[in-house]
Amino acid sequence: MTITILCTSVTLLIVLCYKTITRWLRQRCLSLPPGPAGVPIFGNLLTLNPELHTHFATLAKTHGPIFTIKLGNRLAIVISGVDMAKEVLRLQDDNFANRIIPAAAKTMEYIKSNIVSSPNGPTLRLLRKICVREMLGKASLDRVYWLRRREMKSLLIHLEEMAGEAVDVGAQMFLMVMNVITSMLWGGVVEGEEKRKEVGKEFREVVGDITEMLGKPNLSDFYPRLERFDVQGIQRKMKEKLVRLDGIFERIIEERKKNGGDGCEDKDFLGFMLRMEKHGGADDNSKSGTTTPFTINHVKALLMDMVVGGTETTSNTVEWAMAELIQKPEMMKKAQQELEQVVGKDNMVEESHLPKLTYLGSVIKEVLRLHPALPLLVPHCPSSTCTINGYTIPQGSQVFVNVWAIHRDPAIWENPLEFKPERFLGIDGSKWDFTGNDFRYFPFGSGRRICAGIPMAERIVGYALASLLHSFDWNLPEGTKLDLSERFGIVLKKATPLVAVPTPKLSHEVLAS
Ligand code: HEM
């Protein structure tokens, strides 16, 4: 018995060593980008700092703007140079516009059908077209403005009630943005304040758990062969949550179908998507006349995309902006003076004011420069082996583009660590935008996989920040200090939540109008 166990262990060890050595030799022959030395089996996992964006920026100082690291069995390439970012996101975009789906996200069919996980191809094009052109186009966003206004007003009245007390700004923003997004998605379905709150609460809990699990390091991702064993139980727990989420979606969709179904397309996005689904999908999008299907799974997947893609990104951006402005009161004053001029003291901010708020716009650009919501974008993945700068980038490797590091590169930005909205003002400032055409500034990514929610993000962040600043003065609670340090996650966070005290600037009549 002992001899059998011994023989099996030795054989396993030999096989493992053989595989590690052959993989190592294969990779050496490939002329991969340079990178820190790792150890067999673990690669660089043991020295990986969880603050990935800063860790990668530090490694880039030693290994250059393109380097390799090994995360277990997975090869990752990290890009932190402008030219190479352009190579991945523009010149070789077609090849790199794919994703590696985390093991936890593979557990439910509709999660695999969403935009963020879809490989480059007709389904991705269809989903993005629906999202970017149909739902998040100007006309559609205008149509559901009343829903955003309703949620904003409810937040401002709540903050007025909290006047003089310490408020967790990020938590309030998250709640408001979640309500705004879910209202836009199915706001016409869930009737009644109480019921809306109830659905919203359950939804928030489940989505919070799901994003937390997606952000957890999972051995199944570093060692894909372990995926079926689900060593940490993450996939099992994720599946439980996704079944719950699916239940919420099913209830909402059922309710909508009962109450007039796809006839309600003007009310919110769900109505629009159900109409598409009823017509069996879409869109004769190819010359060959084939139709790309659009199923109920796609409806759920798009709901999920907007909630997960849109909530923390926008609410954290507003929280960062508030923190930076509280740190620099003269800048807060400047933004408030502009609001008084454009909006007036007897009025609430409306989205239609945003294009005239030039200084506020530059504050938002500067926040997204210093604290881009997704500091490493969403990792890309080449569908075939290619070369960048003479280095081989193997098919299937995970490619991180460190936009955070590019936005702080002293060769591009003067005093890059200083928060200075003025750099985006004037003739010089107007050249920077969110289109991803300039690889020195691209907080929303670039190319085929550029953020699908830019118009919505611009409106929500601008409207929320303008409303907070116009309606209240903001100060830190007495005796507290501001901490501006960051914490890496799926979305970049403040390491400690911003707690601040609002003092109303507008009368109750104006706020409640
Ligand atoms: C301040 C707010 C936001 C920022 C900074 C932001 C940034 C980004 C970035 C950097 C990416 C990845 C690009 C890449 O992989 O190359 C992305 C992807 C995405 N974003 Fe946003 N985003 C924001 C808000 C939103 C909103 C409001 C929505 C939708 C309602 C949204 C939906 C998406 C989706 C669906 C994707 C995946 C696109 C794809 O894989 O093709 N985002 N976003």
Side-chain angles (χ1 to χ4, degrees):
M1 182 69 175
T2 328
I3 291 184
T4 320
I5 293 175
L6 196 68
C7 286
T8 318
S9 309
V10 169
T11 316
L12 275 174
L13 201 65
I14 291 170
V15 171
L16 203 65
C17 289
Y18 172 77
K19 287 199 165 183
T20 310
I21 290 167
T22 45
R23 195 176 312 114
W24 181 76
L25 283 173
R26 223 176 24 243
Q27 286 174 358
R28 277 195 70 117
C29 299
L30 282 177
S31 113
L32 294 171
V39 293
I41 302 178
F42 297 105
N44 305 100
L45 269 184
L46 301 179
T47 51
L48 203 67
N49 180 330
E51 296 301 308
L52 281 191
H53 61 309
T54 48
H55 181 57
F56 288 168
T58 311
L59 287 176
K61 285 188 186 140
T62 314
H63 302 284
I66 177 165
F67 67 87
T68 309
I69 55 164
K70 282 204 65 204
L71 307 173
N73 275 352
R74 185 149 271 158
L75 198 69
I77 310 292
V78 183
I79 304 273
S80 16
V82 171
D83 292 342
M84 278 154 240
K86 184 172 178 182
E87 195 74 40
V88 169
L89 301 172
R90 158 92 45 91
L91 304 176
Q92 302 195 39
D93 185 20
D94 194 30
N95 188 30
F96 279 98
N98 296 283
R99 308 283 194 207
I100 290 174
I101 310 178
K106 287 187 200 160
T107 47
M108 285 287 274
E109 198 49 45
Y110 69 91
I111 298 297
K112 283 190 278 172
S113 324
N114 67 358
I115 293 187
V116 79
S117 310
S118 289
N120 188 9
T123 304
L124 176 72
R125 280 196 294 279
L126 171 68
L127 296 180
R128 286 192 61 105
K129 187 179 155 201
I130 293 171
C131 199
V132 178
R133 278 212 245 144
E134 314 284 351
M135 292 199 289
L136 302 181
K138 186 179 176 316
S140 316
L141 283 175
D142 284 348
R143 213 164 33 231
V144 287
Y145 174 49
W146 69 278
L147 293 164
R148 291 193 290 283
R149 200 171 184 278
R150 177 181 76 186
E151 298 305 334
M152 187 66 71
K153 205 164 121 185
S154 137
L155 168 71
L156 296 178
I157 289 175
H158 176 63
L159 289 175
E160 192 194 24
E161 287 161 9
M162 306 270 296
E165 290 177 39
V167 170
D168 181 334
V169 178
Q172 290 297 326
M173 283 316 302
F174 181 81
L175 205 73
M176 191 279 288
V177 173
M178 179 66 100
N179 287 345
V180 163
I181 291 184
T182 52
S183 284
M184 283 163 50
L185 293 173
W186 57 72
V189 183
V190 187
E191 297 292 350
E193 187 76 1
E194 275 314 303
K195 189 135 184 239
R196 249 202 339 266
K197 278 192 181 151
E198 200 185 297
V199 175
K201 185 167 175 284
E202 187 185 4
F203 193 70
R204 254 191 331 272
E205 268 171 31
V206 184
V207 170
D209 291 347
I210 289 174
T211 34
E212 195 187 316
M213 266 185 278
L214 281 175
K216 268 197 182 148
N218 187 351
L219 282 176
S220 305
D221 291 322
F222 303 135
Y223 302 96
R225 291 211 178 138
L226 292 183
E227 195 176 314
R228 66 195 138 119
F229 302 112
D230 185 18
V231 184
Q232 293 151 276
I234 295 180
Q235 287 122 272
R236 178 181 48 76
K237 284 188 215 135
M238 182 77 163
K239 187 154 190 166
E240 283 164 18
K241 297 289 168 193
L242 289 173
V243 167
R244 227 180 119 196
L245 183 69
D246 194 44
I248 304 179
F249 284 155
E250 285 285 335
R251 280 203 317 270
I252 290 170
I253 291 172
E254 263 318 294
E255 199 146 335
R256 162 46 60 83
K257 283 185 169 167
K258 260 196 277 160
N259 302 337
D262 52 35
C264 305
E265 74 224 37
D266 273 359
K267 277 199 177 169
D268 52 40
F269 295 158
L270 179 59
F272 172 84
M273 288 195 270
L274 287 177
R275 180 167 60 91
M276 297 249 339
E277 187 256 339
K278 191 170 167 190
H279 296 305
D283 185 43
D284 298 305
N285 67 338
S286 72
K287 287 182 188 125
S288 62
T290 52
T291 301
T292 308
F294 186 75
T295 64
I296 203 73
N297 269 343
H298 291 120
V299 173
K300 294 178 190 170
L302 279 186
L303 294 176
M304 183 76 184
D305 265 325
M306 294 214 192
V307 171
V308 175
T311 38
E312 277 203 287
T313 47
T314 44
S315 60
N316 288 6
T317 302
V318 177
E319 185 184 7
W320 275 116
M322 290 296 292
E324 292 286 2
L325 292 177
I326 288 176
Q327 173 85 337
K328 295 232 162 84
E330 71 286 359
M331 291 182 184
M332 183 180 295
K333 250 293 73 47
K334 206 167 162 185
Q336 287 175 323
Q337 278 164 359
E338 182 183 61
L339 281 157
E340 278 170 27
Q341 264 175 17
V342 173
V343 181
K345 278 187 171 169
D346 298 333
N347 288 318
M348 297 292 298
V349 175
E350 303 290 344
E351 272 185 10
S352 55
H353 292 124
L354 295 181
K356 294 180 213 133
L357 298 167
T358 323
Y359 187 71
L360 189 95
S362 68
V363 167
I364 294 170
K365 282 186 184 172
E366 179 67 339
V367 167
L368 287 169
R369 181 189 68 83
L370 260 186
H371 312 287
L374 301 179
L376 302 175
L377 307 182
V378 177
H380 288 234
C381 170
S383 50
S384 61
T385 300
C386 59
T387 55
I388 289 188
N389 231 26
Y391 295 120
T392 305
I393 313 295
Q395 172 190 26
S397 46
Q398 192 162 27
V399 178
F400 295 96
V401 178
N402 196 342
V403 64
W404 181 91
I406 294 176
H407 284 184
R408 290 175 177 229
D409 184 344
I412 303 172
W413 304 95
E414 206 184 303
N415 297 329
L417 303 187
E418 187 188 345
F419 181 78
K420 191 175 165 211
E422 284 70 16
R423 66 175 95 235
F424 289 101
L425 283 176
I427 306 170
D428 224 31
S430 61
K431 70 182 178 208
W432 308 105
D433 58 27
F434 300 146
T435 56
N437 284 324
D438 191 325
F439 290 90
R440 293 170 299 171
Y441 182 70
F442 53 106
F444 290 92
S446 175
R448 280 175 174 72
R449 303 310 289 243
I450 193 171
C451 174
I454 300 175
M456 184 146 130
E458 282 188 282
R459 288 195 192 209
I460 296 182
V461 172
Y463 185 35
L465 186 59
S467 302
L468 291 184
L469 293 172
H470 187 53
S471 313
F472 302 95
D473 278 321
W474 293 89
N475 291 295
L476 291 179
E478 248 182 60
T480 60
K481 267 192 163 173
L482 195 61
D483 168 20
L484 281 172
S485 45
E486 300 171 330
R487 166 134 332 130
F488 182 81
I490 293 190
V491 178
L492 191 68
K493 283 188 178 52
K494 272 187 88 275
T496 49
L498 170 66
V499 176
V501 179
T503 309
K505 281 177 81 224
L506 303 181
S507 68
H508 176 73
E509 288 66 40
V510 176
L511 274 180
S513 64

